[in-house]
Amino acid sequence: MNHDAPSFDLSALIKAAKANGDGSALPPVDLWHPEFCGDMDMVIKRDGSWHHEGSPIGRQKLVKLFATILRKDEDGHHYLVTPIEKIRITVERAAFIGVRADIENSGKDQVIYITSNVGDVIAISGERPLRVETEPTSQQPLPLISVRGRLEALLSRPVFYELVEHAVEIDTKDGPQLGVYSSGDFFPLGAPNSHLA
């Protein structure tokens, strides 16, 4: 991150975020194309907490407000976007955390709903898929679900273990595959032949 980046007025950004969302729907950030304004010292930590200039943002209402103007672009970076500003922030792992799973029906008719730490409710589906990466150092699973645009939520460990409890094993050309059904599709929870605790 560029330490010579301009200092942004947080109160002005809050005002802009409030002005561009009436609370009934998310602002159309994907339709806004302002010039890049620089980096802000704002970080979304791996645990989903937001920090500004090293201090945690304790007000959940403020975090939810910033989340409405968050976007991940093709360059892999995350930005806070208004019609007139595009400010890059740092995201350590994923923009959101999946904190709850609600499961309807069972078997191939099962639908799994994930609630994020900012209140999004996402049905795992072909349009909002679940994928599981592996942490290179610890070899721990990193389950991620698409939330909107390129933004993803990292499932918390308890939520992932709840999905494991509802997992089934199917035969594939690469061997037995453990995973879950949701919205008519099958989503692997790891590599074929892998065993999850």
Side-chain angles (χ1 to χ4, degrees):
M1 185 172 288
N2 182 4
H3 295 287
D4 297 324
S7 176
F8 293 98
D9 183 350
L10 196 60
S11 61
L13 186 60
I14 293 168
K15 185 176 178 182
K18 286 181 177 176
N20 289 291
D22 62 6
S24 63
L26 291 167
V29 294
D30 289 330
L31 301 179
W32 297 337
H33 302 288
E35 291 293 318
F36 174 60
C37 300
D39 296 304
M40 174 182 267
D41 186 4
M42 187 176 286
V43 180
I44 303 176
K45 299 283 191 179
R46 185 189 170 111
D47 65 2
S49 62
W50 291 55
H51 294 248
H52 179 249
E53 295 181 347
S55 299
I57 299 175
R59 292 173 52 202
Q60 184 65 6
K61 191 173 180 180
L62 197 54
V63 168
K64 286 184 175 183
L65 179 65
F66 286 138
T68 66
I69 60 167
L70 183 63
R71 187 175 82 194
K72 184 177 181 182
D73 284 359
E74 288 181 1
D75 62 8
H77 293 289
H78 291 77
Y79 299 89
L80 296 175
V81 182
T82 73
I84 59 170
E85 288 185 308
K86 178 179 174 180
I87 303 166
R88 184 166 48 203
I89 68 169
T90 300
V91 176
E92 289 185 347
R93 175 63 67 190
F96 310 118
I97 300 293
V99 296
R100 175 176 166 166
D102 292 285
I103 300 173
E104 287 185 353
N105 303 320
S106 60
K108 293 184 179 180
D109 295 326
Q110 182 170 271
V111 180
I112 302 171
Y113 296 92
I114 302 296
T115 301
S116 79
N117 59 319
V118 295
D120 294 297
V121 179
I122 311 104
I124 297 176
S125 66
E127 292 182 353
R128 296 285 178 263
L130 169 72
R131 63 187 177 87
V132 180
E133 297 181 350
T134 302
E135 174 74 62
T137 52
S138 68
Q139 294 301 300
Q140 292 295 312
L142 294 173
L144 296 152
I145 181 174
S146 175
V147 177
R148 59 180 179 271
R150 296 179 188 87
L151 297 174
E152 293 182 307
L154 174 68
L155 302 191
S156 67
R157 192 174 301 271
V159 168
F160 182 61
Y161 286 156
E162 187 173 350
L163 296 194
V164 171
E165 288 175 10
H166 288 82
V168 295
E169 189 175 84
I170 65 170
D171 291 321
T172 73
K173 62 180 177 61
D174 298 315
Q177 174 68 70
L178 197 65
V180 291
Y181 281 101
S182 184
S183 306
D185 290 313
F186 181 80
F187 298 93
L189 293 181
N193 296 304
S194 63
H195 300 284
L196 301 169

